[in-house]
Amino acid sequence: MEVDSSPGIHSFNIVGLPDKAVQESKDRLASAIKNSGFLPPNSKNKKITINLAPADIKKEGPAYDLPIAIGYLLETGQIRFDASNRLFLGELSLDGSLRHANGVLASAILAKRMGFNEIIIPAENAGEAAVVEEIGAIGARSIGEVISHLDGTRRIAPLKAEFLGKIPNVHDNSLLFIKGQETAKRALVIAAAGGHNLLMGGAPGTGKTLLARALSEILPPLSFEEAIEVAKIYSASGLTKDSSLSFRRPFRNPHHTTSAVAMVGGGTWPKPGEISLAHRGVLFLDEFPEFPRNVLESLRQPLEDGQVTISRASGSVSLPAKFMLVAAMNPCPCGNYGDSVNACICPMTAVMNYRKKISGPLIDRIDIQVMVPRETVSSEENGTLPEKVEEIKKNITLARQIQAERFKNLPIFCNAEINHKNIDKCCKLEKSAESLLRHAINAKGLSLRSYHKIKKISRTIADLEQSEPIQQHHVAEALSLRINEKITELF
């Protein structure tokens, strides 16, 4: 940001592709500076020019208020300080106080990378920036406090994050309230341990939604690096509820009327959508076939690449989208097709149209596919015991630790992210296991993607048993979770 003041007829111009919010900062600045005890821009006959460089990048949002104000005061000689190695960010109120700004965490990370020593921001954002070590996070409540800090009158101590390195336990016990459904629970455990996508089919009321929510609660907490990735997205989107860093994995559950733009992101100026907000967490799509087909097809590339590229006339942006897709669906519009108890009332054309909404390539990208049957009501408690729940969580956490050690030199966090370049190195099968897998692939005519998916599921099952080689029974279980005849019948 460059500020120039020269004699002439009074004017105050901001150049460098500012949006409406940046242009309107001229009026906010005049009042904020006056109410803070300094001479505002309209007090003298001077031509003031603010240049936001580089000039070919659109500048948006009110976070430029504070740096423009400090630059103006410095240029007009009303304050003196060393401006090097300091970054300013924040919105000004008319009384000179500072308001919460979006994207502070990402700005602090960039400031550290560029060699800044201090980032001066609103007090509400100080905890957010303090997550980044080796840079001083100075939180101020007003422009007066900022100036007192800069001239040494009243220094503000950098805020230190107290929770660095401390990852709390964020598990709940929703799994206790699910009765029966042992096959589905086993699929949940494997999906949680390896970060695999999951499709659950079954009649209404069988517990698919409850199972999906239980999955989000048995997932291990985010690592520090993952938490930073998630926090950057939420900070840039203005969805950070407080300044603390959360280690709970995101759980997004958009309604089936959600548009493609809301799902993948976009708008006049590209913003993160549901798949980016679910980064490192769970994207749960209930009533899977009820989503518009274009919305479902938009998931294909992010599921494969772990990121989404949004191109608009104003520019192009790539956003992270490494999420676990958990989908739940009924076999037909009424939900009773193939049910041995209730009769289906749907015409066959309605059943076929219902299933055609989900394409084969999309289904092929979902690792685990299970049916959730009806459970009979029993007088006996058949839920998972508390001791078993704790053991499940312990096994999942241990499996994730094994994967973290395996991928410590790779940009991978879980087995589901293994790509074709290192799948043979990471997924070593015993001869009997390889033979079983090849025979199943040839017999069923499955794709090469399915071959790789089954190997990755087998790797996760082996990790849950703390076995380095993938054995035959690991592959057999992975095949049963990937090749489900009842699910196949739905498509």
Side-chain angles (χ1 to χ4, degrees):
M1 180 172 297
E2 299 172 320
V3 183
D4 180 72
S5 175
S6 57
I9 298 175
H10 170 71
S11 65
F12 190 89
N13 298 313
I14 300 177
V15 298
L17 284 183
D19 71 348
K20 192 67 175 176
V22 181
Q23 291 175 348
E24 290 177 348
S25 66
K26 293 184 291 185
D27 299 319
R28 291 193 298 272
L29 287 172
S31 297
I33 291 173
K34 175 178 70 67
N35 294 328
S36 298
F38 298 92
L39 295 176
N42 55 8
S43 63
K44 294 183 178 181
N45 290 327
K46 286 190 175 183
K47 181 181 179 181
I48 299 167
T49 304
I50 309 292
N51 180 38
L52 309 178
D56 60 338
I57 297 178
K58 183 76 173 180
K59 317 303 186 304
E60 59 177 347
Y64 295 91
D65 289 3
L66 179 59
I68 291 175
I70 295 297
Y72 163 76
L73 294 173
L74 185 62
E75 170 64 17
T76 56
Q78 299 186 59
I79 60 174
R80 288 284 183 268
F81 70 94
D82 183 8
S84 62
N85 297 324
R86 285 188 169 113
L87 182 68
F88 299 87
L89 191 70
E91 177 186 350
L92 285 173
S93 298
L94 298 184
D95 62 355
S97 60
L98 290 173
R99 294 178 180 271
H100 181 277
N102 295 337
V104 168
L105 178 58
S107 300
I109 292 172
L110 182 61
K112 174 185 174 181
R113 191 181 306 152
M114 296 180 68
F116 287 90
N117 296 327
E118 277 187 356
I119 179 169
I120 300 177
I121 48 179
E124 293 181 47
N125 294 110
E128 194 176 335
V131 172
V132 184
E133 296 179 288
E134 300 176 10
I135 186 169
I138 307 298
R141 291 181 172 81
S142 67
I143 191 172
E145 288 189 8
V146 173
I147 294 171
S148 297
H149 171 76
L150 294 175
D151 63 17
T153 304
R154 192 172 186 179
R155 291 283 186 180
I156 301 174
L159 185 66
K160 299 295 184 182
E162 299 177 356
F163 52 81
L164 292 180
K166 299 178 182 179
I167 300 179
N169 190 331
V170 296
H171 297 314
D172 296 320
N173 288 323
S174 289
L175 208 63
L176 287 174
F177 303 101
I178 303 174
K179 308 303 180 182
Q181 305 295 6
E182 296 304 322
T183 300
K185 288 178 183 177
R186 175 62 176 172
L188 288 184
V189 171
I190 295 171
H196 302 287
N197 302 320
L198 173 65
L199 171 66
M200 294 181 288
T206 55
K208 300 186 294 295
T209 301
L210 188 57
L211 285 163
R213 295 190 182 278
L215 170 63
S216 71
E217 294 170 355
I218 63 173
L219 283 168
L222 294 164
S223 66
F224 184 75
E225 292 77 12
E226 290 176 312
I228 290 290
E229 290 181 16
V230 173
K232 285 166 63 178
I233 298 171
Y234 278 74
S235 175
S237 303
L239 298 176
T240 305
K241 296 180 180 179
D242 51 42
S243 296
S244 62
L245 189 65
S246 173
F247 294 94
R248 181 179 289 275
R249 293 186 182 272
F251 183 86
R252 305 295 297 185
N253 183 15
H255 193 260
H256 61 258
T257 57
T258 299
S259 67
V261 172
M263 184 67 74
V264 303
T268 304
W269 301 104
K271 298 288 185 181
E274 291 292 337
I275 61 175
S276 294
L277 296 175
H279 181 65
R280 300 296 180 193
V282 176
L283 177 67
F284 176 47
L285 301 185
D286 204 1
E287 306 297 342
F288 200 38
E290 297 293 346
F291 284 82
R293 186 181 175 97
N294 67 317
V295 174
L296 296 180
E297 294 305 302
S298 68
L299 299 175
R300 286 164 60 171
Q301 183 250 339
L303 283 173
E304 197 73 15
D305 300 337
Q307 66 176 14
V308 59
T309 301
I310 305 168
S311 298
R312 296 292 184 269
S314 58
S316 178
V317 62
S318 292
L319 299 172
K322 292 183 178 179
F323 58 91
M324 285 179 60
L325 174 63
V326 180
M329 63 173 292
N330 300 323
C332 68
C334 79
N336 295 322
Y337 185 85
D339 195 343
S340 59
V341 179
N342 299 316
C344 177
I345 61 174
C346 301
M348 201 60 197
T349 54
V351 176
M352 296 304 296
N353 290 334
Y354 185 75
R355 297 173 180 177
K356 283 181 180 178
K357 291 183 179 180
I358 306 175
S359 66
L362 178 58
I363 291 296
D364 201 37
R365 285 169 166 80
I366 300 178
D367 307 26
I368 300 174
Q369 303 167 16
V370 296
M371 286 295 292
V372 182
R374 291 187 185 275
E375 289 286 349
T376 58
V377 178
S378 173
S379 60
E380 298 180 359
E381 291 293 334
N382 59 349
T384 306
L385 296 175
E387 296 81 7
K388 189 176 179 182
V389 172
E390 294 305 319
E391 187 68 23
I392 287 172
K393 294 175 182 178
K394 179 181 177 181
N395 291 340
I396 291 172
T397 301
L398 183 58
R400 286 287 184 128
Q401 290 172 354
I402 292 172
Q403 293 166 54
E405 179 64 24
R406 180 184 298 126
F407 306 133
K408 62 182 178 182
N409 296 322
L410 297 170
I412 298 174
F413 285 91
C414 60
N415 289 332
E417 298 176 17
I418 299 174
N419 57 33
H420 65 280
K421 295 180 180 179
N422 46 40
I423 191 167
D424 290 332
K425 176 183 177 181
C426 298
C427 303
K428 296 179 180 180
L429 278 67
E430 293 183 346
K431 289 185 177 180
S432 58
E434 182 69 31
S435 176
L436 173 62
L437 178 56
R438 291 184 180 276
H439 175 76
I441 293 294
N442 294 331
K444 297 293 183 180
L446 301 179
S447 66
L448 183 60
R449 180 185 289 115
S450 292
Y451 173 73
H452 286 163
K453 296 274 187 193
I454 294 169
K455 289 185 73 172
K456 288 188 278 189
I457 297 170
S458 303
R459 174 72 275 165
T460 300
I461 297 171
D463 288 343
L464 284 168
E465 296 184 3
Q466 303 177 42
S467 171
E468 181 55 34
I470 299 174
Q471 302 173 17
Q472 187 176 17
H473 70 278
H474 299 148
V475 173
E477 185 175 6
L479 286 168
S480 68
L481 293 172
R482 175 71 182 179
I483 307 172
N484 190 302
E485 298 296 340
K486 292 184 178 181
I487 285 285
T488 307
E489 289 175 3
L490 298 180
F491 307 101

